[in-house]
mmCIF file of all heavy atoms in Angstrom:
data_model
loop_
_atom_site.group_PDB
_atom_site.id
_atom_site.type_symbol
_atom_site.label_atom_id
_atom_site.label_comp_id
_atom_site.label_asym_id
_atom_site.label_seq_id
_atom_site.Cartn_x
_atom_site.Cartn_y
_atom_site.Cartn_z
ATOM 1 N N SER I 254 35.905 -28.740 33.852
ATOM 2 C CA SER I 254 34.777 -28.602 32.907
ATOM 3 C C SER I 254 34.393 -27.126 32.858
ATOM 4 O O SER I 254 34.183 -26.491 33.894
ATOM 5 C CB SER I 254 33.633 -29.413 33.410
ATOM 6 O OG SER I 254 32.438 -28.913 32.885
ATOM 7 N N ILE I 255 34.317 -26.573 31.665
ATOM 8 C CA ILE I 255 33.986 -25.188 31.475
ATOM 9 C C ILE I 255 32.601 -24.846 32.095
ATOM 10 O O ILE I 255 32.392 -23.719 32.555
ATOM 11 C CB ILE I 255 34.106 -24.729 30.016
ATOM 12 C CG1 ILE I 255 34.219 -23.179 29.911
ATOM 13 C CG2 ILE I 255 32.992 -25.231 29.145
ATOM 14 C CD1 ILE I 255 35.381 -22.571 30.520
ATOM 15 N N SER I 256 31.679 -25.792 32.028
ATOM 16 C CA SER I 256 30.338 -25.505 32.597
ATOM 17 C C SER I 256 30.391 -25.280 34.069
ATOM 18 O O SER I 256 29.789 -24.363 34.606
ATOM 19 C CB SER I 256 29.361 -26.647 32.327
ATOM 20 O OG SER I 256 29.381 -27.019 31.011
ATOM 21 N N GLU I 257 31.237 -26.092 34.733
ATOM 22 C CA GLU I 257 31.386 -25.936 36.202
ATOM 23 C C GLU I 257 32.056 -24.617 36.495
ATOM 24 O O GLU I 257 31.662 -23.900 37.439
ATOM 25 C CB GLU I 257 32.204 -27.094 36.816
ATOM 26 C CG GLU I 257 31.768 -28.472 36.492
ATOM 27 C CD GLU I 257 30.377 -28.798 37.104
ATOM 28 O OE1 GLU I 257 30.044 -28.147 38.096
ATOM 29 O OE2 GLU I 257 29.662 -29.631 36.562
ATOM 30 N N VAL I 258 33.070 -24.294 35.759
ATOM 31 C CA VAL I 258 33.767 -23.042 36.018
ATOM 32 C C VAL I 258 32.924 -21.830 35.749
ATOM 33 O O VAL I 258 32.840 -20.967 36.609
ATOM 34 C CB VAL I 258 35.099 -23.015 35.095
ATOM 35 C CG1 VAL I 258 35.805 -21.636 35.296
ATOM 36 C CG2 VAL I 258 36.016 -24.148 35.395
ATOM 37 N N ALA I 259 32.167 -21.900 34.646
ATOM 38 C CA ALA I 259 31.328 -20.765 34.309
ATOM 39 C C ALA I 259 30.239 -20.559 35.379
ATOM 40 O O ALA I 259 29.893 -19.450 35.732
ATOM 41 C CB ALA I 259 30.664 -20.948 32.936
ATOM 42 N N LYS I 260 29.731 -21.700 35.853
ATOM 43 C CA LYS I 260 28.651 -21.588 36.885
ATOM 44 C C LYS I 260 29.218 -20.903 38.128
ATOM 45 O O LYS I 260 28.603 -20.001 38.720
ATOM 46 C CB LYS I 260 28.178 -23.024 37.231
ATOM 47 C CG LYS I 260 26.976 -23.051 38.088
ATOM 48 C CD LYS I 260 26.488 -24.502 38.211
ATOM 49 C CE LYS I 260 25.580 -24.644 39.411
ATOM 50 N NZ LYS I 260 25.398 -26.049 39.745
ATOM 51 N N ALA I 261 30.378 -21.382 38.563
ATOM 52 C CA ALA I 261 30.973 -20.801 39.791
ATOM 53 C C ALA I 261 31.337 -19.343 39.607
ATOM 54 O O ALA I 261 31.124 -18.536 40.525
ATOM 55 C CB ALA I 261 32.198 -21.661 40.195
ATOM 56 N N VAL I 262 31.859 -18.996 38.468
ATOM 57 C CA VAL I 262 32.269 -17.636 38.237
ATOM 58 C C VAL I 262 31.034 -16.743 38.141
ATOM 59 O O VAL I 262 30.885 -15.671 38.767
ATOM 60 C CB VAL I 262 33.074 -17.499 36.898
ATOM 61 C CG1 VAL I 262 33.243 -16.039 36.516
ATOM 62 C CG2 VAL I 262 34.408 -18.167 37.042
ATOM 63 N N GLY I 263 29.982 -17.243 37.397
ATOM 64 C CA GLY I 263 28.804 -16.449 37.141
ATOM 65 C C GLY I 263 27.922 -16.212 38.390
ATOM 66 O O GLY I 263 27.143 -15.283 38.444
ATOM 67 N N MET I 264 28.112 -17.073 39.386
ATOM 68 C CA MET I 264 27.222 -16.891 40.555
ATOM 69 C C MET I 264 27.782 -15.784 41.470
ATOM 70 O O MET I 264 27.106 -15.428 42.483
ATOM 71 C CB MET I 264 27.131 -18.226 41.374
ATOM 72 C CG MET I 264 26.072 -19.111 40.783
ATOM 73 S SD MET I 264 25.877 -20.661 41.586
ATOM 74 C CE MET I 264 25.049 -20.180 43.091
ATOM 75 N N ASP I 265 28.912 -15.277 41.190
ATOM 76 C CA ASP I 265 29.374 -14.035 41.832
ATOM 77 C C ASP I 265 28.483 -12.907 41.349
ATOM 78 O O ASP I 265 28.532 -12.617 40.129
ATOM 79 C CB ASP I 265 30.822 -13.812 41.535
ATOM 80 C CG ASP I 265 31.415 -12.604 42.313
ATOM 81 O OD1 ASP I 265 30.692 -11.620 42.530
ATOM 82 O OD2 ASP I 265 32.575 -12.726 42.662
ATOM 83 N N SER I 266 27.726 -12.325 42.208
ATOM 84 C CA SER I 266 26.743 -11.313 41.727
ATOM 85 C C SER I 266 27.458 -10.169 41.014
ATOM 86 O O SER I 266 26.839 -9.453 40.260
ATOM 87 C CB SER I 266 25.854 -10.860 42.867
ATOM 88 O OG SER I 266 26.658 -10.278 43.849
ATOM 89 N N ARG I 267 28.710 -9.963 41.309
ATOM 90 C CA ARG I 267 29.406 -8.848 40.660
ATOM 91 C C ARG I 267 29.730 -9.205 39.164
ATOM 92 O O ARG I 267 29.931 -8.384 38.345
ATOM 93 C CB ARG I 267 30.748 -8.550 41.364
ATOM 94 C CG ARG I 267 30.510 -7.956 42.750
ATOM 95 C CD ARG I 267 31.822 -7.983 43.529
ATOM 96 N NE ARG I 267 32.301 -9.345 43.679
ATOM 97 C CZ ARG I 267 33.404 -9.660 44.324
ATOM 98 N NH1 ARG I 267 34.176 -8.687 44.845
ATOM 99 N NH2 ARG I 267 33.818 -10.907 44.430
ATOM 100 N N VAL I 268 29.730 -10.535 38.862
ATOM 101 C CA VAL I 268 29.988 -10.957 37.492
ATOM 102 C C VAL I 268 28.656 -11.257 36.741
ATOM 103 O O VAL I 268 28.461 -10.740 35.665
ATOM 104 C CB VAL I 268 30.910 -12.228 37.472
ATOM 105 C CG1 VAL I 268 31.110 -12.719 36.076
ATOM 106 C CG2 VAL I 268 32.203 -11.948 38.150
ATOM 107 N N GLY I 269 27.837 -12.032 37.356
ATOM 108 C CA GLY I 269 26.513 -12.370 36.717
ATOM 109 C C GLY I 269 26.668 -13.568 35.757
ATOM 110 O O GLY I 269 27.808 -13.857 35.279
#
Side-chain angles (χ1 to χ4, degrees):
S254 156
I255 197 65
S256 309
E257 306 294 337
V258 175
K260 188 172 162 195
V262 170
M264 277 179 74
D265 187 322
S266 59
R267 293 166 301 179
V268 177

